[in-house]
Amino acid sequence: MPERGQGTRSQYTEAEGPIRQAGETAALAARRRTGLLVTLVLGGLTAVPPLSMDMYLPALPKVTDALHTSAATAQLTLTACLMGMALGQLVVGPMSDRWGRRRPLLTGLVIYIVATAICALAPGVELLVGFRLLQGLAGAAGIVIARAIVRDLYDGMEMARFFSTLMLISGVAPIVAPLIGGQVLRFTDWRGIFVVLTVVGILLTLVVRWKLPETLAPEKRHSGGTAEALRTMRGLLADRAFAGYTLVGGFTFAALFAYISASPFVIQEIYGASPQTFSLLFGVNSIGLIIVGQINGRVLVGRVSLDKALGTGLAVITVAAVALLLMATGVFGHVGLVPIAVGLFVLMSAMSLVMPNANTLALTRASHAAGSASALIGTSSFLIGAIASPLVGIAGERTAVPMAVVQLISVLIAAGCFLGLCRPWQHGSAGASFTAAATGPTPAAEPRNPARAAERQETRESTQTGESADMRESAEMRADS
Protein backbone atom coordinates (compact mmCIF):
# COMPACT_ATOMS: atom_id res chain seq x y z
CA MET A 1 0.00 0.00 0.00
CA PRO A 2 1.42 3.43 -0.88
CA GLU A 3 2.49 5.78 1.84
CA ARG A 4 -0.24 8.29 2.69
CA GLY A 5 1.65 10.46 5.11
CA GLN A 6 -0.96 10.09 7.85
CA GLY A 7 -0.47 7.35 10.41
CA THR A 8 -4.03 7.47 11.67
CA ARG A 9 -5.52 7.08 8.20
CA SER A 10 -3.19 4.19 7.41
CA GLN A 11 -4.47 2.29 10.43
CA TYR A 12 -7.92 2.21 8.88
CA THR A 13 -6.91 1.55 5.28
CA GLU A 14 -4.68 -1.30 6.40
CA ALA A 15 -7.73 -2.91 8.04
CA GLU A 16 -9.67 -2.99 4.76
CA GLY A 17 -7.60 -5.75 3.21
CA PRO A 18 -7.83 -8.37 5.99
CA ILE A 19 -11.51 -7.68 6.54
CA ARG A 20 -12.32 -8.53 2.95
CA GLN A 21 -10.19 -11.67 2.81
CA ALA A 22 -11.72 -15.12 3.17
CA GLY A 23 -9.51 -16.01 6.11
CA GLU A 24 -10.38 -13.26 8.56
CA THR A 25 -9.13 -13.23 12.09
CA ALA A 26 -11.59 -13.71 14.93
CA ALA A 27 -11.30 -10.06 16.00
CA LEU A 28 -12.04 -8.72 12.53
CA ALA A 29 -14.95 -11.13 12.17
CA ALA A 30 -16.39 -9.89 15.47
CA ARG A 31 -16.20 -6.29 14.29
CA ARG A 32 -17.95 -7.21 11.04
CA ARG A 33 -20.76 -8.84 13.03
CA THR A 34 -21.12 -5.60 14.99
CA GLY A 35 -21.23 -3.65 11.72
CA LEU A 36 -23.88 -6.01 10.36
CA LEU A 37 -26.03 -5.48 13.45
CA VAL A 38 -25.84 -1.70 13.09
CA THR A 39 -26.66 -2.06 9.39
CA LEU A 40 -29.81 -3.99 10.26
CA VAL A 41 -30.78 -1.41 12.89
CA LEU A 42 -30.32 1.47 10.43
CA GLY A 43 -32.30 -0.48 7.86
CA GLY A 44 -35.11 -0.84 10.38
CA LEU A 45 -35.08 2.91 11.05
CA THR A 46 -35.28 3.75 7.35
CA ALA A 47 -38.14 1.26 7.07
CA VAL A 48 -40.34 3.38 9.37
CA PRO A 49 -41.80 5.49 6.49
CA PRO A 50 -42.73 2.55 4.21
CA LEU A 51 -44.15 0.66 7.19
CA SER A 52 -46.22 3.66 8.27
CA MET A 53 -47.41 4.31 4.72
CA ASP A 54 -47.53 1.02 2.83
CA MET A 55 -49.08 -1.21 5.48
CA TYR A 56 -51.92 1.30 5.56
CA LEU A 57 -52.43 1.48 1.79
CA PRO A 58 -54.69 -1.58 1.31
CA ALA A 59 -57.00 -0.16 4.00
CA LEU A 60 -57.34 3.30 2.43
CA PRO A 61 -60.64 2.52 0.62
CA LYS A 62 -61.97 0.93 3.82
CA VAL A 63 -61.04 4.00 5.85
CA THR A 64 -63.03 6.06 3.34
CA ASP A 65 -66.12 3.90 3.95
CA ALA A 66 -65.72 3.41 7.71
CA LEU A 67 -65.25 7.10 8.51
CA HIS A 68 -67.81 8.25 5.90
CA THR A 69 -65.42 10.55 4.07
CA SER A 70 -64.20 11.16 0.51
CA ALA A 71 -61.18 9.62 -1.18
CA ALA A 72 -59.40 12.99 -1.22
CA THR A 73 -59.97 13.43 2.52
CA ALA A 74 -58.80 9.88 3.25
CA GLN A 75 -55.63 10.60 1.30
CA LEU A 76 -54.99 13.48 3.71
CA THR A 77 -54.14 10.84 6.30
CA LEU A 78 -51.19 9.96 4.05
CA THR A 79 -50.37 13.60 3.38
CA ALA A 80 -50.41 14.44 7.11
CA CYS A 81 -47.99 11.65 7.93
CA LEU A 82 -45.73 12.71 5.08
CA MET A 83 -45.82 16.37 6.13
CA GLY A 84 -44.95 15.34 9.67
CA MET A 85 -41.96 13.33 8.49
CA ALA A 86 -40.80 16.31 6.44
CA LEU A 87 -41.04 18.90 9.21
CA GLY A 88 -39.79 16.51 11.88
CA GLN A 89 -36.55 15.93 10.01
CA LEU A 90 -35.94 19.68 9.86
CA VAL A 91 -36.07 19.77 13.68
CA VAL A 92 -34.44 16.46 14.61
CA GLY A 93 -31.49 16.73 12.20
CA PRO A 94 -29.90 19.79 13.84
CA MET A 95 -30.78 18.37 17.28
CA SER A 96 -28.72 15.27 16.49
CA ASP A 97 -25.76 17.48 15.51
CA ARG A 98 -25.99 19.19 18.92
CA TRP A 99 -26.88 16.35 21.33
CA GLY A 100 -25.68 13.26 19.51
CA ARG A 101 -27.65 10.66 17.61
CA ARG A 102 -29.09 8.40 20.31
CA ARG A 103 -31.02 10.81 22.55
CA PRO A 104 -33.19 12.47 19.84
CA LEU A 105 -33.70 9.09 18.18
CA LEU A 106 -35.04 7.37 21.29
CA THR A 107 -37.29 10.34 22.13
CA GLY A 108 -38.78 10.31 18.64
CA LEU A 109 -39.44 6.58 18.72
CA VAL A 110 -41.32 6.80 22.04
CA ILE A 111 -43.56 9.59 20.69
CA TYR A 112 -44.11 7.53 17.52
CA ILE A 113 -45.41 4.62 19.61
CA VAL A 114 -47.89 6.82 21.51
CA ALA A 115 -49.18 8.58 18.37
CA THR A 116 -49.63 5.29 16.48
CA ALA A 117 -51.60 3.77 19.37
CA ILE A 118 -53.94 6.76 19.40
CA CYS A 119 -54.45 6.43 15.61
CA ALA A 120 -55.82 2.95 16.26
CA LEU A 121 -58.49 4.48 18.52
CA ALA A 122 -59.40 7.52 16.37
CA PRO A 123 -63.21 7.88 16.13
CA GLY A 124 -63.17 10.27 13.17
CA VAL A 125 -61.06 11.29 10.22
CA GLU A 126 -60.11 14.65 11.77
CA LEU A 127 -58.46 13.04 14.80
CA LEU A 128 -56.86 10.42 12.57
CA VAL A 129 -55.32 13.10 10.37
CA GLY A 130 -54.03 14.96 13.43
CA PHE A 131 -52.29 12.00 15.01
CA ARG A 132 -50.97 10.79 11.66
CA LEU A 133 -49.24 14.19 11.56
CA LEU A 134 -47.75 13.56 15.02
CA GLN A 135 -46.81 10.03 13.98
CA GLY A 136 -44.88 11.45 11.04
CA LEU A 137 -43.18 14.13 13.15
CA ALA A 138 -41.90 11.48 15.56
CA GLY A 139 -41.06 8.89 12.92
CA ALA A 140 -38.84 11.44 11.18
CA ALA A 141 -36.19 10.84 13.84
CA GLY A 142 -35.46 7.38 12.47
CA ILE A 143 -34.88 8.33 8.86
CA VAL A 144 -32.94 11.56 9.37
CA ILE A 145 -30.64 10.16 12.06
CA ALA A 146 -30.04 6.94 10.11
CA ARG A 147 -28.65 9.01 7.20
CA ALA A 148 -26.52 11.07 9.59
CA ILE A 149 -25.08 7.90 11.17
CA VAL A 150 -24.13 6.62 7.72
CA ARG A 151 -22.27 9.89 7.10
CA ASP A 152 -20.55 9.54 10.51
CA LEU A 153 -19.23 6.09 9.63
CA TYR A 154 -18.55 6.12 5.87
CA ASP A 155 -16.95 8.20 3.10
CA GLY A 156 -17.17 8.29 -0.68
CA MET A 157 -17.63 4.99 -2.46
CA GLU A 158 -18.31 3.09 0.78
CA MET A 159 -21.10 5.53 1.61
CA ALA A 160 -22.70 5.00 -1.80
CA ARG A 161 -22.53 1.24 -1.33
CA PHE A 162 -23.97 1.46 2.16
CA PHE A 163 -26.92 3.51 0.94
CA SER A 164 -27.58 0.83 -1.65
CA THR A 165 -27.46 -1.77 1.14
CA LEU A 166 -30.02 0.27 3.06
CA MET A 167 -32.19 0.22 -0.06
CA LEU A 168 -32.06 -3.57 0.13
CA ILE A 169 -33.06 -3.68 3.80
CA SER A 170 -35.65 -0.91 3.75
CA GLY A 171 -36.90 -2.22 0.40
CA VAL A 172 -38.12 -5.35 2.16
CA ALA A 173 -40.59 -3.17 4.10
CA PRO A 174 -42.64 -2.13 1.02
CA ILE A 175 -42.84 -5.82 0.08
CA VAL A 176 -43.87 -7.08 3.49
CA ALA A 177 -45.95 -4.09 4.65
CA PRO A 178 -48.83 -4.27 2.10
CA LEU A 179 -48.90 -8.05 2.41
CA ILE A 180 -49.21 -7.76 6.18
CA GLY A 181 -51.77 -5.00 5.78
CA GLY A 182 -53.84 -7.11 3.38
CA GLN A 183 -53.71 -10.10 5.72
CA VAL A 184 -54.58 -7.99 8.78
CA LEU A 185 -57.68 -6.77 6.94
CA ARG A 186 -58.83 -10.36 6.57
CA PHE A 187 -59.16 -10.70 10.34
CA THR A 188 -59.87 -7.17 11.56
CA ASP A 189 -60.53 -3.65 10.29
CA TRP A 190 -58.11 -0.85 9.46
CA ARG A 191 -57.49 -0.12 13.15
CA GLY A 192 -55.63 -3.41 13.52
CA ILE A 193 -52.95 -2.08 11.15
CA PHE A 194 -52.07 0.66 13.64
CA VAL A 195 -51.92 -1.91 16.44
CA VAL A 196 -49.30 -3.82 14.43
CA LEU A 197 -47.36 -0.60 13.79
CA THR A 198 -47.39 0.14 17.52
CA VAL A 199 -45.82 -3.25 18.25
CA VAL A 200 -43.18 -2.65 15.54
CA GLY A 201 -42.34 0.71 17.11
CA ILE A 202 -41.88 -0.86 20.55
CA LEU A 203 -39.56 -3.56 19.21
CA LEU A 204 -37.48 -1.07 17.24
CA THR A 205 -37.14 1.18 20.29
CA LEU A 206 -35.84 -1.68 22.39
CA VAL A 207 -33.27 -2.66 19.76
CA VAL A 208 -32.03 0.92 19.41
CA ARG A 209 -31.85 1.31 23.20
CA TRP A 210 -29.65 -1.72 23.70
CA LYS A 211 -27.78 -2.25 20.42
CA LEU A 212 -27.16 1.03 18.57
CA PRO A 213 -23.97 2.84 19.68
CA GLU A 214 -23.45 6.58 19.66
CA THR A 215 -21.55 7.60 16.50
CA LEU A 216 -21.04 11.35 17.00
CA ALA A 217 -18.24 12.13 19.44
CA PRO A 218 -18.88 14.99 21.93
CA GLU A 219 -16.12 17.19 20.47
CA LYS A 220 -17.78 17.05 17.05
CA ARG A 221 -21.16 18.24 18.27
CA HIS A 222 -22.38 21.77 17.59
CA SER A 223 -22.74 23.87 20.71
CA GLY A 224 -24.89 26.62 19.19
CA GLY A 225 -28.67 26.82 19.21
CA THR A 226 -31.29 27.60 16.60
CA ALA A 227 -29.35 30.50 15.10
CA GLU A 228 -26.33 28.33 14.38
CA ALA A 229 -28.52 25.58 12.93
CA LEU A 230 -30.16 28.08 10.59
CA ARG A 231 -26.77 29.46 9.53
CA THR A 232 -25.55 25.95 8.80
CA MET A 233 -28.60 25.15 6.68
CA ARG A 234 -28.33 28.45 4.83
CA GLY A 235 -24.71 27.65 4.01
CA LEU A 236 -25.66 24.20 2.73
CA LEU A 237 -28.42 25.59 0.53
CA ALA A 238 -25.99 28.17 -0.86
CA ASP A 239 -24.00 25.26 -2.29
CA ARG A 240 -25.54 24.97 -5.75
CA ALA A 241 -24.61 21.32 -6.26
CA PHE A 242 -25.88 20.29 -2.81
CA ALA A 243 -29.17 22.08 -3.46
CA GLY A 244 -29.38 20.47 -6.90
CA TYR A 245 -28.90 16.91 -5.68
CA THR A 246 -31.34 17.56 -2.83
CA LEU A 247 -34.03 18.72 -5.29
CA VAL A 248 -33.32 15.81 -7.64
CA GLY A 249 -34.00 13.41 -4.80
CA GLY A 250 -37.04 15.40 -3.68
CA PHE A 251 -38.83 15.49 -7.03
CA THR A 252 -37.96 11.86 -7.73
CA PHE A 253 -39.55 11.02 -4.39
CA ALA A 254 -42.63 13.00 -5.50
CA ALA A 255 -43.00 10.68 -8.50
CA LEU A 256 -42.65 7.72 -6.14
CA PHE A 257 -45.21 9.07 -3.71
CA ALA A 258 -47.66 9.82 -6.51
CA TYR A 259 -47.58 6.08 -7.14
CA ILE A 260 -47.89 5.24 -3.44
CA SER A 261 -50.92 7.45 -2.81
CA ALA A 262 -52.77 6.76 -6.10
CA SER A 263 -52.05 3.07 -6.69
CA PRO A 264 -54.63 1.71 -4.20
CA PHE A 265 -57.41 3.43 -6.14
CA VAL A 266 -55.89 2.83 -9.58
CA ILE A 267 -55.29 -0.88 -9.01
CA GLN A 268 -58.34 -1.70 -6.89
CA GLU A 269 -61.02 0.73 -8.05
CA ILE A 270 -60.20 1.17 -11.74
CA TYR A 271 -58.91 -2.33 -12.52
CA GLY A 272 -60.93 -4.21 -9.89
CA ALA A 273 -58.05 -5.96 -8.12
CA SER A 274 -58.48 -7.26 -4.58
CA PRO A 275 -56.45 -5.87 -1.64
CA GLN A 276 -54.37 -9.05 -1.75
CA THR A 277 -53.64 -8.65 -5.48
CA PHE A 278 -52.71 -5.01 -4.91
CA SER A 279 -50.35 -6.05 -2.11
CA LEU A 280 -48.76 -8.66 -4.39
CA LEU A 281 -48.17 -6.15 -7.20
CA PHE A 282 -46.79 -3.63 -4.75
CA GLY A 283 -44.40 -6.27 -3.46
CA VAL A 284 -43.24 -7.15 -6.99
CA ASN A 285 -42.46 -3.49 -7.65
CA SER A 286 -40.48 -3.31 -4.43
CA ILE A 287 -38.48 -6.38 -5.49
CA GLY A 288 -37.50 -4.49 -8.64
CA LEU A 289 -36.39 -1.55 -6.50
CA ILE A 290 -34.24 -3.90 -4.39
CA ILE A 291 -32.65 -5.66 -7.38
CA VAL A 292 -31.68 -2.44 -9.13
CA GLY A 293 -30.41 -1.05 -5.84
CA GLN A 294 -28.05 -3.98 -5.48
CA ILE A 295 -26.91 -3.63 -9.09
CA ASN A 296 -26.15 0.00 -8.31
CA GLY A 297 -24.25 -0.76 -5.10
CA ARG A 298 -22.40 -3.93 -6.11
CA VAL A 299 -21.82 -3.44 -9.84
CA LEU A 300 -22.07 0.21 -10.88
CA VAL A 301 -20.49 2.00 -7.90
CA GLY A 302 -16.74 2.03 -8.51
CA ARG A 303 -17.12 1.39 -12.24
CA VAL A 304 -19.53 4.09 -13.37
CA SER A 305 -19.63 7.61 -11.95
CA LEU A 306 -22.55 8.29 -9.62
CA ASP A 307 -23.70 11.14 -11.88
CA LYS A 308 -23.96 8.79 -14.87
CA ALA A 309 -25.94 6.23 -12.89
CA LEU A 310 -28.21 8.96 -11.56
CA GLY A 311 -28.79 10.41 -15.04
CA THR A 312 -29.61 6.97 -16.44
CA GLY A 313 -32.17 6.46 -13.70
CA LEU A 314 -33.85 9.79 -14.46
CA ALA A 315 -34.05 8.89 -18.16
CA VAL A 316 -35.66 5.50 -17.44
CA ILE A 317 -38.20 7.04 -15.06
CA THR A 318 -39.09 9.64 -17.69
CA VAL A 319 -39.73 6.98 -20.33
CA ALA A 320 -41.88 4.96 -17.90
CA ALA A 321 -43.90 8.05 -16.90
CA VAL A 322 -44.55 8.96 -20.53
CA ALA A 323 -45.71 5.41 -21.26
CA LEU A 324 -48.05 5.43 -18.25
CA LEU A 325 -49.55 8.76 -19.33
CA LEU A 326 -50.16 7.52 -22.87
CA MET A 327 -51.86 4.38 -21.55
CA ALA A 328 -53.94 6.32 -19.02
CA THR A 329 -55.21 8.76 -21.67
CA GLY A 330 -56.24 5.93 -24.01
CA VAL A 331 -53.72 6.58 -26.78
CA PHE A 332 -53.21 2.80 -27.06
CA GLY A 333 -56.89 2.08 -26.58
CA HIS A 334 -58.18 0.28 -23.52
CA VAL A 335 -55.31 -1.40 -21.69
CA GLY A 336 -55.61 -3.92 -18.92
CA LEU A 337 -53.85 -4.20 -15.59
CA VAL A 338 -50.73 -5.94 -16.91
CA PRO A 339 -49.35 -3.06 -19.08
CA ILE A 340 -50.00 -0.55 -16.28
CA ALA A 341 -48.27 -2.86 -13.79
CA VAL A 342 -45.25 -3.20 -16.10
CA GLY A 343 -44.92 0.58 -16.44
CA LEU A 344 -45.12 1.03 -12.67
CA PHE A 345 -42.55 -1.74 -12.17
CA VAL A 346 -40.02 0.00 -14.44
CA LEU A 347 -40.66 3.37 -12.80
CA MET A 348 -40.25 1.97 -9.28
CA SER A 349 -37.12 -0.04 -10.12
CA ALA A 350 -35.29 2.94 -11.62
CA MET A 351 -35.74 4.87 -8.36
CA SER A 352 -32.79 2.86 -6.99
CA LEU A 353 -30.48 4.50 -9.53
CA VAL A 354 -31.50 7.98 -8.47
CA MET A 355 -32.18 8.26 -4.75
CA PRO A 356 -29.12 6.50 -3.20
CA ASN A 357 -26.73 8.29 -5.56
CA ALA A 358 -28.38 11.69 -5.07
CA ASN A 359 -28.15 11.25 -1.29
CA THR A 360 -24.50 10.24 -1.48
CA LEU A 361 -23.49 13.11 -3.76
CA ALA A 362 -25.29 15.62 -1.52
CA LEU A 363 -23.96 14.29 1.80
CA THR A 364 -20.41 14.10 0.45
CA ARG A 365 -20.48 17.91 0.37
CA ALA A 366 -21.64 18.19 4.01
CA SER A 367 -19.32 16.18 6.26
CA HIS A 368 -19.25 19.03 8.81
CA ALA A 369 -23.03 18.99 9.41
CA ALA A 370 -24.39 15.57 8.50
CA GLY A 371 -27.50 15.92 10.65
CA SER A 372 -28.54 19.27 9.15
CA ALA A 373 -27.76 18.07 5.63
CA SER A 374 -29.77 14.90 6.19
CA ALA A 375 -32.65 17.03 7.50
CA LEU A 376 -32.66 19.21 4.38
CA ILE A 377 -32.55 16.16 2.10
CA GLY A 378 -35.38 14.43 3.92
CA THR A 379 -37.51 17.52 4.43
CA SER A 380 -37.41 18.51 0.77
CA SER A 381 -38.32 14.97 -0.31
CA PHE A 382 -41.24 14.61 2.06
CA LEU A 383 -42.59 18.15 1.54
CA ILE A 384 -42.55 17.80 -2.23
CA GLY A 385 -44.10 14.35 -1.90
CA ALA A 386 -46.80 15.73 0.40
CA ILE A 387 -47.70 18.33 -2.22
CA ALA A 388 -47.90 15.64 -4.91
CA SER A 389 -50.14 13.36 -2.86
CA PRO A 390 -53.47 15.22 -3.03
CA LEU A 391 -52.91 16.19 -6.68
CA VAL A 392 -53.29 12.56 -7.82
CA GLY A 393 -56.88 12.50 -6.57
CA ILE A 394 -58.17 15.79 -7.98
CA ALA A 395 -59.97 14.09 -10.90
CA GLY A 396 -61.65 11.44 -8.75
CA GLU A 397 -61.11 7.74 -8.23
CA ARG A 398 -61.87 6.52 -11.77
CA THR A 399 -58.89 7.76 -13.76
CA ALA A 400 -55.14 7.21 -13.60
CA VAL A 401 -54.32 10.35 -15.61
CA PRO A 402 -53.52 12.61 -12.61
CA MET A 403 -51.07 10.03 -11.24
CA ALA A 404 -49.24 9.79 -14.56
CA VAL A 405 -49.20 13.59 -15.03
CA VAL A 406 -47.77 14.21 -11.54
CA GLN A 407 -45.11 11.54 -12.10
CA LEU A 408 -44.05 12.96 -15.46
CA ILE A 409 -43.91 16.58 -14.26
CA SER A 410 -41.96 15.56 -11.16
CA VAL A 411 -39.28 13.64 -13.03
CA LEU A 412 -38.94 16.39 -15.64
CA ILE A 413 -38.31 18.93 -12.87
CA ALA A 414 -35.79 16.53 -11.29
CA ALA A 415 -33.98 16.23 -14.62
CA GLY A 416 -33.98 20.01 -14.96
CA CYS A 417 -32.40 20.40 -11.50
CA PHE A 418 -29.80 17.77 -12.36
CA LEU A 419 -28.77 19.57 -15.53
CA GLY A 420 -29.21 23.16 -14.35
CA LEU A 421 -27.92 23.00 -10.77
CA CYS A 422 -25.79 19.87 -10.42
CA ARG A 423 -24.11 20.33 -13.82
CA PRO A 424 -22.34 16.94 -13.67
CA TRP A 425 -20.07 17.77 -16.61
CA GLN A 426 -18.46 20.53 -14.47
CA HIS A 427 -17.69 18.49 -11.36
CA GLY A 428 -17.09 14.92 -12.39
CA SER A 429 -14.53 14.57 -9.60
CA ALA A 430 -16.97 12.99 -7.16
CA GLY A 431 -17.96 10.20 -9.40
CA ALA A 432 -14.41 9.82 -10.73
CA SER A 433 -12.93 9.58 -7.26
CA PHE A 434 -15.38 6.87 -6.26
CA THR A 435 -14.50 4.96 -9.42
CA ALA A 436 -10.80 5.32 -8.73
CA ALA A 437 -11.30 4.08 -5.20
CA ALA A 438 -12.52 0.76 -6.53
CA THR A 439 -9.30 0.13 -8.45
CA GLY A 440 -6.76 0.91 -5.76
CA PRO A 441 -5.65 3.18 -2.94
CA THR A 442 -4.90 6.31 -4.96
CA PRO A 443 -5.12 9.88 -3.72
CA ALA A 444 -8.52 10.27 -5.40
CA ALA A 445 -9.89 7.70 -3.00
CA GLU A 446 -9.23 9.94 0.00
CA PRO A 447 -12.22 11.58 1.69
CA ARG A 448 -13.17 15.00 0.36
CA ASN A 449 -12.36 16.57 3.72
CA PRO A 450 -8.64 16.14 4.61
CA ALA A 451 -9.44 16.68 8.28
CA ARG A 452 -11.41 13.41 8.49
CA ALA A 453 -8.24 11.48 9.35
CA ALA A 454 -7.45 13.73 12.28
CA GLU A 455 -11.08 13.67 13.38
CA ARG A 456 -11.05 9.90 13.46
CA GLN A 457 -7.95 9.97 15.68
CA GLU A 458 -9.73 12.38 18.02
CA THR A 459 -12.70 10.02 18.17
CA ARG A 460 -10.44 7.12 19.18
CA GLU A 461 -8.80 9.28 21.86
CA SER A 462 -12.17 10.36 23.24
CA THR A 463 -13.14 6.76 23.80
CA GLN A 464 -10.09 6.35 26.02
CA THR A 465 -10.80 9.44 28.15
CA GLY A 466 -14.40 9.09 29.26
CA GLU A 467 -16.57 8.06 26.31
CA SER A 468 -18.79 5.02 26.86
CA ALA A 469 -18.53 1.55 25.36
CA ASP A 470 -20.91 2.76 22.66
CA MET A 471 -18.26 5.08 21.31
CA ARG A 472 -15.69 2.28 21.29
CA GLU A 473 -18.00 0.22 19.10
CA SER A 474 -18.43 3.21 16.79
CA ALA A 475 -14.66 3.61 16.40
CA GLU A 476 -14.33 -0.06 15.48
CA MET A 477 -17.04 0.28 12.83
CA ARG A 478 -15.15 3.21 11.36
CA ALA A 479 -12.16 0.90 11.02
CA ASP A 480 -14.32 -1.61 9.15
CA SER A 481 -15.41 1.03 6.66
Side-chain angles (χ1 to χ4, degrees):
M1 178 172 292
E3 287 290 327
R4 301 236 176 160
Q6 296 186 34
T8 302
R9 180 63 182 170
S10 65
Q11 294 174 9
Y12 293 100
T13 55
E14 286 170 5
E16 293 175 5
I19 290 175
R20 294 173 184 171
Q21 298 298 322
E24 297 173 324
T25 65
L28 290 174
R31 289 207 297 271
R32 286 194 65 182
R33 285 194 295 273
T34 301
L36 175 61
L37 177 61
V38 173
T39 300
L40 293 175
V41 173
L42 295 182
L45 293 173
T46 58
V48 169
L51 284 175
S52 301
M53 303 280 190
D54 302 341
M55 191 182 296
Y56 176 70
L57 290 179
L60 203 53
K62 295 185 180 296
V63 172
T64 303
D65 297 334
L67 299 182
H68 308 290
T69 187
S70 64
T73 303
Q75 285 175 331
L76 285 177
T77 61
L78 287 174
T79 303
C81 186
L82 194 64
M83 289 286 290
M85 288 184 178
L87 298 176
Q89 291 182 72
L90 206 56
V91 174
V92 176
M95 287 173 59
S96 73
D97 281 340
R98 183 177 182 183
W99 291 313
R101 311 304 185 198
R102 277 174 54 87
R103 197 190 312 175
L105 176 57
L106 287 169
T107 301
L109 287 173
V110 170
I111 297 173
Y112 174 87
I113 292 169
V114 174
T116 305
I118 296 176
C119 285
L121 304 174
V125 69
E126 294 83 5
L127 190 63
L128 180 60
V129 169
F131 277 94
R132 286 284 278 175
L133 177 64
L134 181 59
Q135 183 191 45
L137 286 167
I143 46 181
V144 69
I145 293 178
R147 274 194 303 264
I149 290 174
V150 173
R151 189 63 187 92
D152 291 340
L153 297 175
Y154 295 98
D155 291 297
M157 180 183 67
E158 292 301 322
M159 180 165 55
R161 285 178 172 162
F162 194 90
F163 274 124
S164 292
T165 301
L166 285 187
M167 290 290 290
L168 168 63
I169 299 172
S170 61
V172 173
I175 297 174
V176 176
L179 294 174
I180 295 175
Q183 294 305 312
V184 169
L185 291 176
R186 296 181 63 181
F187 301 100
T188 183
D189 61 5
W190 59 272
R191 299 178 189 276
I193 292 175
F194 288 105
V195 173
V196 174
L197 287 173
T198 302
V199 173
V200 170
I202 293 172
L203 294 175
L204 190 57
T205 302
L206 293 175
V207 173
V208 169
R209 171 66 181 83
W210 296 109
K211 297 298 183 180
L212 184 67
E214 177 61 68
T215 60
L216 187 65
E219 65 271 14
K220 295 181 183 178
R221 298 173 189 175
H222 296 184
S223 58
T226 303
E228 181 182 345
L230 292 176
R231 283 195 299 271
T232 299
M233 290 185 176
R234 185 167 61 248
L236 290 171
L237 292 175
D239 182 340
R240 175 176 47 78
F242 174 85
Y245 289 120
T246 298
L247 290 174
V248 168
F251 281 101
T252 303
F253 188 82
L256 172 63
F257 200 74
Y259 160 74
I260 291 174
S261 57
S263 58
F265 297 99
V266 172
I267 301 299
Q268 296 180 71
E269 302 295 333
I270 298 177
Y271 292 98
S274 67
Q276 289 72 34
T277 301
F278 164 74
S279 299
L280 178 62
L281 290 175
F282 199 95
V284 169
N285 290 340
S286 298
I287 289 174
L289 185 143
I290 290 173
I291 292 173
V292 175
Q294 293 311 290
I295 292 173
N296 178 69
R298 297 179 180 274
V299 178
L300 299 181
V301 172
R303 294 177 174 86
V304 177
S305 74
L306 300 187
D307 281 313
K308 288 182 179 179
L310 193 158
T312 301
L314 288 174
V316 173
I317 295 172
T318 302
V319 171
V322 169
L324 286 168
L325 180 59
L326 293 177
M327 288 187 284
T329 54
V331 171
F332 302 126
H334 178 72
V335 296
L337 177 59
V338 173
I340 293 290
V342 171
L344 292 173
F345 175 82
V346 173
L347 185 143
M348 279 281 286
S349 300
M351 297 286 175
S352 288
L353 291 176
V354 177
M355 291 189 289
N357 295 328
N359 287 344
T360 298
L361 289 164
L363 285 172
T364 298
R365 308 179 69 88
S367 61
H368 60 289
S372 296
S374 177
L376 290 173
I377 292 169
T379 297
S380 64
S381 296
F382 280 83
L383 278 179
I384 297 171
I387 294 172
S389 175
L391 296 179
V392 301
I394 58 177
E397 307 171 19
R398 298 294 178 181
T399 175
V401 172
M403 177 189 74
V405 169
V406 171
Q407 288 173 333
L408 181 58
I409 291 175
S410 297
V411 72
L412 289 177
I413 295 176
C417 292
F418 181 58
L419 297 175
L421 294 177
C422 301
R423 303 177 187 175
W425 60 88
Q426 291 183 356
H427 59 87
S429 59
S433 67
F434 297 162
T435 303
T439 60
T442 66
E446 287 291 325
R448 292 178 61 89
N449 184 355
R452 294 286 288 180
E455 291 175 358
R456 284 177 173 164
Q457 177 63 24
E458 291 173 7
T459 300
R460 292 180 66 87
E461 292 173 354
S462 71
T463 66
Q464 300 170 359
T465 59
E467 201 52 278
S468 66
D470 282 345
M471 288 304 303
R472 288 196 294 273
E473 293 180 26
S474 173
E476 290 179 350
M477 285 184 288
R478 288 174 181 269
D480 290 342
S481 69

